[in-house]
Amino acid sequence: LGPIPLQIDYALTDHVSEAIELYLDDYGHQTSEESKEHVMKLVRTIITDLMPKVSSLLPEKMEDVSEVLAAGSARYSAPDSIRSLDWLQTNGYCIDNMKAGPSTIPDAGRGAFATRRIQEGALISGSPLLRFERDKLVTNSVFSEQLVLNYCFGHPQSTLLLFPYAPLVGLINHNSKSPNVEIRWSTKEENNEISIWTKRSYNRLVKASKVPLMIEYVAKREIQPGEEIFLDYGAEWEAAWKEHVQNWTPPADSKDYVMATTFAKLMEDQPIRTGGEQEEDPYPENLITACYYDYEESYEQYADAEDEEDHLPIFMQVWEETDLLFTCHHHLRPCLILSRGEEEDGETFYTAEMFNLPDTTHGTDLIPDTEHHVVTNIPRRAITFVELMYEGDQHLEGSFRHPIGFPDLIFPETWKNV
């Protein structure tokens, strides 16, 4: 989601703010305003390199940190998030008209269902839109574009993609024969800038830092409680899907594929095999073991240990459960289980070598490639299974990728650049 902060980013911002507050408590009385400004700039610079989303949530001035802590970074970053009842009645959207459930379409996964009777012409939901240029969604995989493409609106005469990210709207499935919902530009007074942007050029649109685009999902007919909500994705999408279904064949080894989450569930009560054991009894080829571990740069070298093959030093660390360990993506690292041992109370602990995530290229989370980093006393609950990069079923060769059709009648002519 690019620059959009997630829950973990707000939690980390709160932690950073607490550290700044401690600094102010200890040294604030003897620090000049100029020095405080310098320190805050330094903190933001360092944080920008490591966690750009967190940096965007921090205040510009050190004295404002107390306001962040008082309100919480999520509330502080959105000062207009608390609105009056009058404002909400005029500009707000009800987001409990839908609920998630298994789709009535075979093999479609989940769908969106009406929670109450919805009258014809009534608003079901509204959603803000993120803007992408299609070439930005090309992956390093030779097989496909990003999966998010399937959840974006697009137009055949434009390279612009619009991603709706309101709750549950991504679960509205396609039905060209009897759709019961359609989209339109927002009619709320708060979103009156939309009419301005729909007249501006494509280049100006994609280069703008902030564009308040909003669409509405409207009932085409009366919808009954529990009825699945469907949108017509357009003739081009349907033709592409039919062609995909007709021509696609599963890879030869597809019978051996297993999802990481499914396999982890199957294995949750089983001991994890060591690297040596996996040579004799391997796990599925698309999976690797991964450990929840909070890497720190400061550690002690274990005696004069040295790898016998590459002669790199081996650094040892004892596993600890730190704050946010099981919620931070960057704490779940690929790992190779070296040994397994059982304590007197029957609990099993592991020793494993830790590796970097594929997207870790710099910062304090990066284990130098000039060493081996080995961790002991890892509990079973801190070890799971993850997909190898681009080995998930969504990255299979020939996977379906196509944006949802944005209605031509309301797609601006000025945005057509193809």
Side-chain angles (χ1 to χ4, degrees):
L1 292 182
I4 297 178
L6 303 178
Q7 182 179 3
I8 185 60
D9 299 306
Y10 292 112
L12 290 170
T13 302
D14 291 339
H15 277 277
V16 173
S17 299
E18 288 171 1
I20 296 172
E21 183 83 342
L22 288 174
Y23 169 83
L24 285 173
D25 290 343
D26 291 341
Y27 305 105
H29 63 284
Q30 53 184 296
T31 305
S32 68
E33 293 303 314
E34 184 178 353
S35 295
K36 289 179 183 178
E37 183 180 348
H38 176 74
V39 170
M40 197 64 192
K41 284 183 178 179
L42 181 61
V43 169
R44 289 175 63 86
T45 299
I46 295 172
I47 296 295
T48 297
D49 288 338
L50 302 176
M51 299 175 287
K53 293 181 184 179
V54 172
S55 177
S56 69
L57 296 171
L58 288 172
E60 294 286 342
K61 298 179 179 179
M62 187 173 286
E63 56 263 32
D64 293 337
V65 167
S66 59
E67 295 182 24
V68 175
L69 292 174
S73 57
R75 185 70 69 198
Y76 178 84
S77 65
D80 295 330
S81 58
I82 297 179
R83 300 285 194 171
S84 68
L85 183 59
D86 289 341
W87 188 95
L88 289 173
Q89 289 175 334
T90 302
N91 299 291
Y93 291 94
C94 181
I95 61 172
D96 69 346
N97 287 320
M98 296 186 294
K99 65 179 180 180
S103 176
T104 58
I105 302 174
D107 301 320
R110 295 194 298 167
F113 294 81
T115 58
R116 56 175 63 90
R117 186 175 69 87
I118 302 172
Q119 295 181 345
E120 180 181 352
L123 285 176
I124 297 176
S125 184
S127 179
L129 300 171
L130 290 178
R131 296 158 293 133
F132 297 103
E133 292 183 271
R134 184 160 180 166
D135 61 359
K136 300 295 192 297
L137 297 186
V138 176
T139 69
N140 292 327
S141 166
V142 298
F143 299 142
S144 66
E145 295 175 283
Q146 296 278 10
L147 181 62
V148 72
L149 177 65
N150 289 352
Y151 298 88
C152 290
F153 287 101
H155 191 280
Q157 293 177 266
S158 178
T159 57
L160 178 70
L161 295 173
L162 301 169
F163 175 66
Y165 60 98
L168 301 178
V169 297
L171 298 181
I172 299 176
N173 288 313
H174 166 70
N175 188 324
S176 61
K177 295 181 179 179
S178 55
N180 51 18
V181 68
E182 61 186 356
I183 64 168
R184 70 185 183 196
W185 291 113
S186 173
T187 57
K188 301 286 187 179
E189 293 179 8
E190 179 76 1
N191 302 311
N192 55 18
E193 285 188 54
I194 291 176
S195 60
I196 299 174
W197 282 101
T198 54
K199 295 179 177 65
R200 289 180 175 168
S201 69
Y202 173 90
N203 288 335
R204 189 169 180 182
L205 178 74
V206 297
K207 291 179 180 179
S209 59
K210 184 178 181 181
V211 180
L213 299 179
M214 176 81 72
I215 57 172
E216 296 173 343
Y217 295 78
V218 183
K220 295 187 67 174
R221 59 167 174 78
E222 185 174 287
I223 302 173
Q224 300 303 316
E227 184 179 350
E228 185 165 5
I229 296 172
F230 291 112
L231 175 71
D232 185 356
Y233 287 8
E236 185 181 274
W237 185 95
E238 185 163 319
W241 173 248
K242 288 181 178 178
E243 181 182 1
H244 171 78
V245 172
Q246 182 178 351
N247 298 327
W248 186 80
T249 55
D253 59 350
S254 61
K255 63 182 184 300
D256 299 322
Y257 174 82
V258 59
M259 291 179 61
T261 52
T262 301
F263 193 74
K265 186 69 175 176
L266 291 172
M267 296 292 295
E268 63 181 353
D269 296 325
Q270 302 296 317
I272 300 294
R273 299 167 199 158
T274 65
E277 291 170 339
Q278 290 182 50
E279 292 181 6
E280 299 294 327
D281 187 12
Y283 290 126
E285 290 185 356
N286 61 301
L287 303 180
I288 58 172
T289 49
C291 299
Y292 286 98
Y293 172 63
D294 188 357
Y295 171 73
E296 296 181 0
E297 286 188 292
S298 58
Y299 43 76
E300 297 295 330
Q301 185 169 3
Y302 182 71
D304 295 317
E306 184 180 274
D307 187 90
E308 294 180 358
E309 294 185 3
D310 57 22
H311 304 293
L312 293 177
I314 299 174
F315 290 87
M316 307 289 290
Q317 187 82 338
V318 178
W319 185 90
E320 291 183 11
E321 183 170 351
T322 56
D323 290 342
L324 306 175
L325 178 66
F326 290 96
T327 56
C328 289
H329 161 73
H330 64 274
H331 289 332
L332 184 58
R333 294 176 169 274
C335 64
L336 175 64
I337 307 301
L338 302 176
S339 64
R340 179 179 60 247
E342 189 172 300
E343 299 290 315
E344 292 181 0
D345 60 2
E347 186 172 0
T348 303
F349 289 89
Y350 297 81
T351 296
E353 180 173 0
M354 299 294 166
F355 302 98
N356 292 313
L357 289 165
D359 56 357
T360 304
T361 58
H362 67 284
T364 58
D365 291 328
L366 184 68
I367 298 174
D369 58 9
T370 54
E371 66 184 52
H372 294 284
H373 191 78
V374 176
V375 180
T376 63
N377 286 45
I378 306 171
R380 172 63 181 85
R381 61 189 174 86
I383 307 174
T384 187
F385 297 89
V386 297
E387 300 271 5
L388 283 167
M389 180 174 277
Y390 301 123
E391 290 294 327
D393 57 356
Q394 68 269 35
H395 293 294
L396 291 175
E397 186 171 3
S399 295
F400 183 72
R401 294 289 187 272
H402 202 285
I404 301 167
F406 200 95
D408 186 62
L409 289 176
I410 61 172
F411 192 84
E413 289 291 326
T414 54
W415 295 359
K416 296 178 180 179
N417 65 328
V418 176

